[in-house]
Amino acid sequence: MDYLLQLAASPTAWIALATLVVMEIVLGIDNLIFISILTNKLPEQHRAKARRIGIGMALILRLGLLSTIAFIVQLTEPVIEILGQSFSWKDMILIAGGLFLLWKATTEIHHSMDPAPDDPKSATSGVTLGFAAAIGQILMLDLVFSIDSIITAVGMTEHLPIMIIAVVIAVLVMLLAAEPLAKFINDNPTVVMLALGFLIMIGMTLIAEGFGAHVPKGYIYAAMAFSAAIEVLNMMSRRRQQRAMADKA
């Protein structure tokens, strides 16, 4: 109890908490984009439930990983060497997650460009299998993003309570933002393609980091913000043109 009181009275601890909360929220954007795109592929009545389950799993994974910090730190130790390049468990997990993101985003882009006709015969069984598959894919990416998130937290502070509070706040923000983000993506088809492009960029970044090439996150998020701003301008232009055509009619 004395330790917690001392921590609460420390300005440094509050600064560390604020910084870590912001960092965890930013890192959670990748996860949230993936969850939003994936759950929008489900029947409408299953989307909100899948999002809650996916984000709930993210919280459980992060808190579970925080309870094994000593083990998580060991994940950065090299365990295998290939052609002079050393790889840790973290590296291999990031590479696997990046490859999965590349595959998933490329597949979704292909389906968007050349959608396959629906098979009414399999509609009944497809809901259950689709829901289970979506949860499985969300869980896999939750694991990748959670490990990255916790290792970042360990690198920024040594105080476990600060890590736990920051993770809980970040996941609660994800939970609040999930519904509006998913609705926005669903209502604007062109945004889907932009978001899938983000996932490809994030996948390539994970693979690069797995091979030891550090990619500053600021560059990635700056590129995403710039692309999003251009898309917002395009949307405003299209809506203005639609209103002008409606007025003429």
Side-chain angles (χ1 to χ4, degrees):
M1 181 62 70
D2 291 339
Y3 167 69
L4 293 177
L5 290 176
Q6 291 176 359
L7 206 58
S10 170
T12 305
W14 285 101
I15 293 172
L17 175 61
T19 305
L20 191 53
V21 166
V22 173
M23 183 66 68
E24 291 293 323
I25 290 174
V26 171
L27 289 174
I29 292 173
D30 309 342
N31 203 357
L32 194 55
I33 290 174
F34 179 81
I35 290 175
S36 298
I37 291 177
L38 202 58
T39 53
N40 280 346
K41 305 288 289 185
L42 296 172
E44 190 170 354
Q45 66 270 26
H46 295 282
R47 294 174 185 173
K49 180 181 178 182
R51 281 191 288 270
R52 287 194 297 268
I53 292 175
I55 296 173
M57 285 178 174
L59 176 59
I60 292 171
L61 277 172
R62 282 163 169 76
L63 293 179
L65 291 172
L66 278 173
S67 67
T68 58
I69 286 181
F71 171 72
I72 294 300
V73 171
Q74 291 177 0
L75 289 179
T76 60
E77 298 295 325
V79 294
I80 190 174
E81 185 173 323
I82 300 175
L83 299 176
Q85 175 73 43
S86 298
F87 295 94
S88 65
W89 283 112
K90 178 197 172 187
D91 295 333
M92 291 185 280
I93 290 171
L94 289 178
I95 292 171
L99 290 172
F100 175 76
L101 269 183
L102 288 181
W103 168 77
K104 186 62 184 176
T106 302
T107 303
E108 292 298 328
I109 289 174
H110 174 73
H111 288 167
S112 297
M113 299 295 292
D114 185 22
D118 295 331
D119 184 3
K121 294 180 181 179
S122 61
T124 304
S125 60
V127 172
T128 304
L129 292 175
F131 185 83
I135 295 300
Q137 292 177 33
I138 289 172
L139 180 59
M140 178 180 175
L141 261 295
D142 276 347
L143 177 61
V144 175
F145 289 128
S146 293
I147 289 176
D148 195 27
S149 169
I150 297 307
I151 289 177
T152 300
V154 171
M156 292 186 66
T157 180
E158 60 183 11
H159 302 295
L160 184 60
I162 291 178
M163 298 182 204
I164 293 175
I165 294 171
V167 164
V168 171
I169 291 175
V171 173
L172 288 176
V173 170
M174 286 174 60
L175 189 61
L176 293 173
E179 193 73 26
L181 178 62
K183 186 177 186 304
F184 178 75
I185 290 176
N186 188 59
D187 293 343
N188 298 276
T190 57
V191 175
V192 175
M193 198 63 69
L194 181 64
L196 290 172
F198 288 164
L199 291 182
I200 289 178
M201 182 168 61
I202 293 165
M204 290 299 297
T205 302
L206 292 177
I207 294 172
E209 291 188 351
F211 279 97
H214 177 64
V215 181
K217 291 292 194 304
Y219 293 146
I220 301 299
Y221 294 119
M224 292 171 64
F226 178 77
S227 300
I230 295 299
E231 180 59 27
V232 168
L233 292 176
N234 286 332
M235 291 169 57
M236 292 172 62
S237 176
R238 286 195 296 269
R239 288 176 181 173
R240 194 166 298 169
Q241 290 175 1
Q242 289 172 357
R243 284 198 298 266
M245 292 176 63
D247 292 341
K248 289 180 180 180

